[in-house]
């Protein structure tokens, strides 16, 4: 049953938005939403697990997760009209997969942020940097070990500031403000 439901939106490369004649997937598959949500959850967990659990690709994990999340958001918007049930399915599945390796994603996200906030990334504009920080913050929301993230982030922030390696004090303040807003402290 699940394979029949997904036949219209799944191809060999992954999920693609359904582009039927002025209908979204929910209209086409009335009554099958639970099965479709289960299929999407399974796909997210399977694909995400290959990203998160591959220790050889740790360096690219955050970038891969950001791309994967962007594609899921696109599917949610274009194919499911931002349906709340599908949104929750995607969130739950993504939270599950990002916490498969306990603290490692938190550490890799801080390393990714450190790289973006260092002097070496002067090739990007302030707007692009802010956009990247916002996208990374979405991943941060899924992390269960926020205290681990905080410890790594504090250490990297101190190094950047003490060694004068920060690309922008404004970007540093912006990220700290976003983290305060997110954590409530």
């Amino acid at each position: 049953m699940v394979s029949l439901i997904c036949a219209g939106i799944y191809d060999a490369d992954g999920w693609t938005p359904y582009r039927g004649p002025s209908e979204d997937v929910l209209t086409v598959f009335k009554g099958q939403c639970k099965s479709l949500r289960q299929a999407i959850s399974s796909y997210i967990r399977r694909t995400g697990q290959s990203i998160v659990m591959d220790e050889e690709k740790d360096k690219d994990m955050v970038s891969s997760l950001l791309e994967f999340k962007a594609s899921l958001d696109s599917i949610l918007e274009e194919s499911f009209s931002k349906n709340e049930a599908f949104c929750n399915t995607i969130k739950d599945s993504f939270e599950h997969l990002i916490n498969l390796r306990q603290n490692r994603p938190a550490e890799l996200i801080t390393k990714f942020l450190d790289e973006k906030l260092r002097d070496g990334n002067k090739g990007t504009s302030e707007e692009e940097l802010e956009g990247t920080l916002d996208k990374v913050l979405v991943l941060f929301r899924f992390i269960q070990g926020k205290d681990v993230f905080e410890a790594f982030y504090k250490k990297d922030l101190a190094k950047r500031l003490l060694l004068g390696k920060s690309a922008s004090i404004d970007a540093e303040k912006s990220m700290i403000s976003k983290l305060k807003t997110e954590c409530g402290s």
Side-chain angles (χ1 to χ4, degrees):
M1 182 62 138
V2 171
S3 61
L4 289 175
I5 293 169
C6 297
I9 60 171
Y10 185 80
D11 63 21
D13 296 328
W15 290 93
T16 57
Y18 174 78
R19 303 220 189 270
S22 70
E23 295 180 300
D24 64 14
V25 173
L26 296 177
T27 305
V28 175
F29 297 110
K30 277 187 234 175
Q32 299 298 324
C33 289
K34 184 175 181 180
S35 297
L36 189 54
R37 284 195 320 268
Q38 289 172 343
I40 289 171
S41 177
S42 175
Y43 167 76
I44 293 169
R45 289 174 187 231
R46 187 177 57 251
T47 304
Q49 185 172 353
S50 68
I51 295 170
V52 174
M53 298 305 286
D54 190 353
E55 293 179 19
E56 293 176 2
K57 295 184 180 176
D58 275 357
K59 184 179 178 187
D60 299 324
M61 180 198 298
V62 176
S63 297
S64 298
L65 286 172
L66 289 172
E67 289 172 18
F68 186 48
K69 180 69 170 99
S71 70
L72 293 174
D73 289 344
S74 175
I75 291 168
L76 179 65
E77 184 176 332
E78 294 176 24
S79 299
F80 299 108
S81 303
K82 295 185 180 180
N83 178 279
E84 188 175 339
F86 283 91
C87 183
N88 290 336
T89 298
I90 291 171
K91 284 180 184 176
D92 292 344
S93 301
F94 212 82
E95 182 176 354
H96 168 79
L97 76 91
I98 204 164
N99 290 296
L100 286 173
R101 284 180 61 195
Q102 288 192 333
N103 299 327
R104 190 66 176 150
E107 181 182 356
L108 293 173
I109 290 171
T110 58
K111 285 183 180 184
F112 182 83
L113 282 172
D114 183 55
E115 182 181 308
K116 294 297 177 191
L117 292 169
R118 284 187 172 274
D119 276 337
N121 289 321
K122 289 197 177 196
T124 60
S125 68
E126 286 289 323
E127 293 81 26
E128 290 172 332
L129 183 58
E130 279 296 316
T132 301
L133 297 180
D134 289 338
K135 290 175 186 174
V136 172
L137 203 57
V138 171
L139 293 182
F140 170 77
R141 290 180 188 128
F142 295 117
I143 295 173
Q144 291 174 348
K146 289 185 174 47
D147 54 336
V148 173
F149 174 90
E150 180 185 5
F152 282 113
Y153 188 80
K154 282 181 179 179
K155 181 183 70 104
D156 290 342
L157 174 64
K159 271 184 171 177
R160 282 192 308 273
L161 295 177
L162 289 172
L163 299 174
K165 296 288 186 181
S166 182
S168 166
I169 295 299
D170 291 337
E172 296 285 1
K173 287 180 182 179
S174 174
M175 189 62 196
I176 290 170
S177 173
K178 290 174 188 193
L179 289 170
K180 278 185 178 181
T181 301
E182 199 62 40
C183 295
S185 59

